Each structure stands twice: as C-alpha cells, then as structure tokens.
Amino acid sequence: MKIAILDDYFDTLRTLPCFAKLASHDVTVFNDHLQDTDALAERLKETEALVLIRERTRIHAALLEKLPKLKLISQRSVYPHIDIDACTRLGIVVSSNMHAGTPSYAAAELTWGLVLAAMRQIPQQAAALKAGVWQIGVGHTLRDKTLGIFGYGRIGSVVAGYGRAFGMTVLVWAREPSLAQARADGHQIAGSKEEFFAQSDVLSLHMRLVDATCGIVTRSDLARMKPGALLVNTSRAGLIEPGALVEALRAGRPGMAAIDVFDAEPLRDPSDPLLKMDNVVATPHIGYVSRDEYELQFSEIFDQIVAYAAGEPINVVNPAVTSHARR
C-alpha cells in the first residue's frame, strides 16, 4: 500500500523499532505541517493509507472528496479532527485504538512537570539567571496542599498518585463511575463542582473533549479559585469556556496557569495573550511526545494498517463503512 504519514516534525517515526512493521509498504513521511486543502490533496493524491499524529491535521469532507484512492485512516485516540460521516460516505475505513485501559504516562509526567515548574517558577527563574538576575521571587511547595483532579480516568488517576507521593490531599470531581474508583483509591470527593474549584490549590484537567465536556470549565468556575491557585491543562483547550482563562488570569483567580494545549494549534504567534503572561508556563502540546510513547502508539497504528492490508481491519470506528469500503 502507498502510505503517507503527516506531521512527523522531527522525522522520529522511521527511527522507531515499530516502523519495521511497514517494511513491505511504500511509505512517505512528511515533516512539515500543511492544512491548505488543495495543497494537501495534491500531496496525498496517491495515498491509500493515511497515518495521523493525533489532531495535528484536520481531515474534513472537502479534502476527503479530493482523495479518490484513500482507503484507510489509521491513528490512535479520539478523532474530533476527522469527518467520520464523510469517511463513511466515501468508503474510507477509520481505525483508531481508543486505549481506554492504557494510561499515557508521558502525559501524566508532563502534567507533573508543569505543576512543579509553575509552583516553583522554574522557567522564570532560569530565564532570569541567564539574564544576570539572581532570584526573581518566591515559589510554593506542594506538600499539605490540595490537588484537584477534574476527571478521574487513565491519566487523572496517575497524576493523583503523583500528588499523593508529594504529600498532597487529592480532591476529585468527575462522573459517578470515576468517583467510585477515586473513593476506592482513597481520595477525597468534592461535595460539589463549586467546592472543588474553591478548595483546590492545584487543579488539573483530565477529560476527553466531547460535546458534553466542551466548555465544561466556565468563567464562574475559574472565579471561585484561590488567588494563589494553579490551573493545569494538558488535556484539551476546548474544555475551558472560550476566552475565560485569559480573563481569569488577568483578574487574579487563579493566580497561575500551566498549559500544554491551545485553541488553535500549532500556535506560532508569540503575541498570544497566554504566551505573554508571566504567571503562565506553556509548552507546545508535548504531553504525548516522547520516544517511549511514540513506540507504544505507533506500534498500534501500524498494526491497524497491517490488519487492513490482510483484509481484517481492526479498531474500526465507522463500522457502517464495511458494506461499501473502497478496495
């Protein structure tokens, strides 16, 4: 099969052991980012199987209709960037392993790295030292503070464990099945969403972005946070009401934010308000970007291609396509 891999910025995938799974196929790897429909259509005109790295490129109907040879899209995790209805209509199989029982330790570790960086002002202190300034302020320790986990799933539960190891009280707010697991794990459960936001010293978001969670963190929620509190978002920017985080930080509640996700990605505008604030630590959506995580993810993504080539597609998210899939 002719396979195209998009958005492999640092040409990492061909250096992974799992890349050998595609040895019998014709693979082209693109290291830049392209979103223009006509340019992408020209680039992918011969592609039969398309590999996506998370949501880096939007795959919409106007593009899909220009790709008559495309048979399979293979990726991992959620797929809000793919027009699944258009794929089904056009006979394109979409395979995506949802890995519900597999924690992303890379994302959990990055979350904790951001917590430490923000609370101790590590990036700001390091930048000041390089500029010839010896100490610029006083940070905060984590022990005996309250860590709020909003969404107690495969990543939130791991981050909660890190908080416990650092001597924090873990407070959870989530759907009832997740709350039951949090109770079983010995964590405290907030009495209400309002109480959750008001009591957390560090509040970390860990939910999938779906219709039900879009904008689930409101301006009112943020206004209840302590002036010295930290909001952490390594999940999706859309969980927060549009514009609410910038307004809240300017108003001083919460006092800090640590974020790995943005409304528009890739973000290349250094004048973006979140990048201009001294009380924000920001990284460019690298929660899952580690060699170890890539090997895990792309081993599964490539397995989906091998299975499709063998006539036995797996992890199909649009099963209605089966009756008229392209061959």
Side-chain angles (χ1 to χ4, degrees):
M1 295 180 69
K2 289 186 178 295
I3 301 170
I5 300 176
L6 297 182
D7 299 299
D8 185 11
Y9 299 151
F10 303 104
D11 206 17
T12 305
L13 299 191
R14 65 175 91 238
T15 70
L16 299 177
C18 65
F19 193 75
K21 295 183 178 186
L22 302 183
S24 63
H25 299 280
D26 181 1
V27 183
T28 302
V29 181
F30 296 97
N31 307 126
D32 60 344
H33 173 74
L34 191 63
Q35 190 60 70
D36 178 79
T37 298
D38 291 336
L40 269 175
E42 176 62 25
R43 172 173 286 186
L44 302 175
K45 62 183 179 181
E46 300 296 328
T47 299
E48 297 173 286
L50 180 61
V51 172
L52 302 179
I53 299 182
R54 293 299 182 99
E55 296 124 89
R56 289 179 176 178
T57 295
R58 297 188 305 280
I59 307 299
H60 47 74
L63 172 62
L64 292 165
E65 289 167 357
K66 295 177 181 289
L67 303 175
K69 295 186 178 182
L70 184 63
K71 303 174 183 179
L72 170 70
I73 297 175
S74 186
Q75 65 139 55
R76 192 174 191 257
S77 195
V78 294
Y79 35 86
H81 53 301
I82 303 175
D83 189 330
I84 298 296
D85 291 338
C87 287
T88 302
R89 172 170 54 83
L90 295 168
I92 301 167
V93 173
V94 180
S95 287
S96 188
N97 186 347
M98 299 305 292
H99 58 97
T102 307
S104 173
Y105 293 107
E109 289 173 5
L110 189 276
T111 300
W112 203 250
L114 287 175
V115 170
L116 290 170
M119 294 294 279
R120 294 302 302 273
Q121 304 175 335
I122 294 173
Q124 299 94 324
Q125 296 279 6
L129 182 61
K130 290 183 177 181
V133 179
W134 185 257
Q135 296 187 11
I136 58 168
V138 179
H140 303 271
T141 54
L142 296 173
R143 182 166 291 277
D144 296 327
K145 290 186 171 62
T146 297
L147 170 64
I149 300 292
F150 196 173
Y152 194 80
R154 62 189 188 88
I155 299 177
S157 59
V158 175
V159 175
Y162 296 163
R164 174 179 280 166
F166 272 73
M168 301 185 76
T169 296
V170 178
L171 185 67
V172 177
W173 187 248
R175 296 177 302 166
E176 186 51 47
S178 298
L179 290 180
Q181 184 60 56
R183 289 190 190 95
D185 291 342
H187 301 308
Q188 296 186 16
I189 307 302
S192 65
K193 186 184 180 188
E194 292 79 8
E195 177 185 301
F196 175 74
F197 275 85
Q199 291 187 2
S200 296
D201 296 298
V202 176
L203 195 156
S204 193
L205 307 181
H206 297 287
M207 289 166 285
R208 295 187 186 275
L209 181 61
V210 296
D211 289 343
T213 60
C214 187
I216 196 169
V217 177
T218 68
R219 285 172 167 80
S220 297
D221 293 328
L222 296 176
R224 291 187 177 92
M225 296 186 70
K226 302 174 184 179
L230 167 67
L231 179 81
V232 186
N233 189 3
T234 56
S235 294
R236 293 294 183 273
L239 296 172
I240 302 175
E241 184 180 349
L245 181 56
V246 170
E247 293 177 15
L249 290 167
R250 286 172 174 165
R253 289 177 180 265
M256 299 172 285
I259 54 176
D260 186 48
V261 289
F262 301 88
D263 290 320
E265 296 181 4
L267 177 61
R268 294 195 174 99
D269 180 8
S271 66
D272 184 278
L274 288 170
L275 303 184
K276 301 290 287 185
M277 293 181 172
D278 292 335
N279 56 344
V280 175
V281 174
T283 49
H285 204 155
I286 58 171
Y288 65 97
V289 181
S290 74
R291 291 189 62 85
D292 310 87
E293 186 78 3
Y294 268 26
E295 177 65 26
L296 172 66
Q297 292 189 19
F298 287 94
S299 182
E300 296 177 352
I301 290 170
F302 297 157
D303 281 343
Q304 291 169 171
I305 294 176
V306 172
Y308 178 89
E312 300 178 353
I314 58 175
N315 302 323
V316 177
V317 301
N318 57 337
V321 76
T322 305
S323 62
H324 59 281
R326 291 175 176 174
R327 295 298 177 192

